[in-house]
Amino acid sequence: MNSNLHTTPKKFCLHVFTYCVVVSLIVSLGSTVSVRPDLVGITPGQGREDITQKKMFLRTKSHRALEILEDGSVRGTACADTKFSLLQSGSHNLGNTVFGIAANRYLCVTPDGVVYSLPKDKFDEDDCVFNETVEYEHFGEKSNPGYREYSKYRHKKHGIRLGKSVRKYHLALVCNKAITVSMKKHRLKYENETLFLVDRTNKDLLNLQETNCKDPSTVDLSCKKKTSYTKKCSEQLKRRGSNGRSNVKFCRKVMKNFFSATLRQLRLFRKRDCYTVLSEYNKCRRRRRQRRQQRKGPS
């Protein structure tokens, strides 16, 4: 007679009993978590005790600080340690929240990528949760005064869908405006504006003013449009190309390898009037070179 028929129910009951004990311990630990009352902007999730709670200033590598104003707008400023730039970070469902203490509002992002803020009593879990990741740090040990860690704030849910994947929005400060970037080329272009230095502090609102700048209109960093900007020569000749495309690249390529070009390339070379296009392109380059020399002045 097989003895396994009698031992199998005992093993099964032992596994079930162990599983029930583990589940009861997890539930009891989660129900006994206490939240610190001195930090008002914390929305803990999943009953975790190791909640990240900190007061901080978020400064980019381009020396802008993130501000959440009382009217709900979010901006960047060059003023140091303002009352509206004192922020508070907390954990929520394996993510992070950014809370403006003076404005009593959360930092949020719409599904379209627009940065805004919500009052504390209208917290939206879909819009106001980010993932903080350390992207860059100075060389040296943490005890070194020059040691810095920069973080990127990527939205947990919203982004641009490309096929089956979603490129999440990254928070950035550009031209004193809080924006989001998602594409890789934009993240590389605004790399200094998406890297935030998390500067922890123990300062209170009473010790901070609305602004520390003597003249914020002149001290604040802003986007200065280049009035003397001119398009590249190849862009100025786009009107000559079919479907709005420039023929300069094609014409230069065929001209360089004229004797090894195919018959089709030679026909297109003649059809697109490449001799005229290259002549105008060279004239444009000479004019740009002369203007550049005049701007520099005599050496």
Side-chain angles (χ1 to χ4, degrees):
M1 188 173 181
N2 192 357
S3 60
N4 292 335
L5 297 176
H6 299 281
T7 58
T8 301
K10 294 181 181 179
K11 292 181 179 179
F12 178 75
C13 294
L14 181 61
H15 292 320
V16 172
F17 176 74
T18 305
Y19 177 78
C20 294
V21 170
V22 172
V23 171
S24 62
L25 286 174
I26 293 174
V27 173
S28 62
L29 288 174
S31 61
T32 58
V33 173
S34 60
V35 182
R36 290 174 53 184
D38 58 333
L39 296 175
V40 295
I42 301 300
T43 55
Q46 298 181 351
R48 296 176 59 220
E49 191 170 3
D50 55 338
I51 297 172
T52 304
Q53 305 178 17
K54 57 188 176 184
K55 289 182 180 179
M56 62 183 182
F57 297 101
L58 288 183
R59 297 187 179 90
T60 62
K61 291 188 69 177
S62 55
H63 306 292
R64 293 180 177 90
L66 180 71
E67 283 188 330
I68 301 178
L69 303 182
E70 292 177 337
D71 60 356
S73 59
V74 184
R75 69 178 186 181
T77 178
C79 302
D81 298 352
T82 64
K83 144 173 134 169
F84 294 107
S85 63
L86 182 61
L87 307 175
Q88 195 167 282
S89 175
S91 300
H92 184 87
N93 290 343
L94 303 180
N96 299 87
T97 58
V98 179
F99 182 77
I101 300 176
N104 201 29
R105 302 176 75 93
Y106 283 99
L107 179 68
C108 307
V109 175
T110 63
D112 297 333
V114 179
V115 181
Y116 72 108
S117 63
L118 281 177
K120 181 184 175 184
D121 55 350
K122 295 183 180 180
F123 174 78
D124 189 352
E125 187 174 356
D126 292 337
D127 290 358
C128 305
V129 181
F130 297 83
N131 286 330
E132 179 187 357
T133 56
V134 178
E135 293 287 340
Y136 176 85
E137 60 187 30
H138 278 283
F139 295 103
E141 299 182 359
K142 291 188 176 181
S143 59
N144 189 352
Y147 181 86
R148 293 289 184 272
E149 288 186 358
Y150 291 93
S151 298
K152 280 191 176 182
Y153 281 84
R154 183 180 60 182
H155 200 271
K156 187 175 182 182
K157 184 175 181 180
H158 298 325
I160 295 179
R161 181 170 293 277
L162 297 174
K164 295 182 179 180
S165 62
V166 178
R167 292 186 182 272
K168 302 295 180 61
Y169 292 124
H170 285 70
L171 181 66
L173 292 179
V174 179
C175 305
N176 283 354
K177 294 181 181 179
I179 64 171
T180 55
V181 294
S182 57
M183 302 302 291
K184 185 176 180 181
K185 61 179 181 180
H186 294 153
R187 292 202 303 267
L188 294 175
K189 181 179 179 180
Y190 301 117
E191 183 177 8
N192 291 339
E193 284 74 20
T194 57
L195 288 172
F196 289 90
L197 173 64
V198 182
D199 186 9
R200 299 195 185 194
T201 181
N202 294 322
K203 294 183 179 180
D204 297 325
L205 291 176
L206 298 177
N207 300 328
L208 299 174
Q209 300 177 359
E210 288 192 11
T211 176
N212 291 337
C213 296
K214 295 180 180 179
D215 188 2
S217 61
T218 57
V219 177
D220 274 0
L221 300 174
S222 60
C223 261
K224 297 181 180 179
K225 295 183 179 180
K226 297 181 180 179
T227 56
S228 61
Y229 173 76
T230 56
K231 292 183 179 180
K232 294 181 179 179
C233 294
S234 58
E235 294 178 355
Q236 295 179 17
L237 299 174
K238 278 186 177 180
R239 62 183 183 274
R240 286 189 163 274
S242 59
N243 300 326
R245 294 178 301 175
S246 174
N247 294 322
V248 174
K249 187 176 180 180
F250 170 78
C251 293
R252 293 183 68 187
K253 181 180 178 181
V254 177
M255 192 68 180
K256 184 178 180 180
N257 304 314
F258 189 82
F259 294 102
S260 61
T262 61
L263 290 175
R264 183 176 179 274
Q265 289 177 338
L266 293 176
R267 292 194 192 101
L268 289 176
F269 186 86
R270 181 180 178 183
K271 182 179 180 181
R272 297 183 182 183
D273 195 10
C274 281
Y275 285 114
T276 306
V277 171
L278 292 176
S279 176
E280 292 186 6
Y281 177 75
N282 293 328
K283 290 179 182 178
C284 178
R285 291 290 298 274
R286 284 195 294 270
R287 287 195 299 267
R288 288 173 64 92
R289 198 178 300 113
Q290 290 174 1
R291 286 196 297 266
R292 197 180 298 115
Q293 292 177 355
Q294 292 174 0
R295 226 178 287 125
K296 290 181 179 180
S299 55

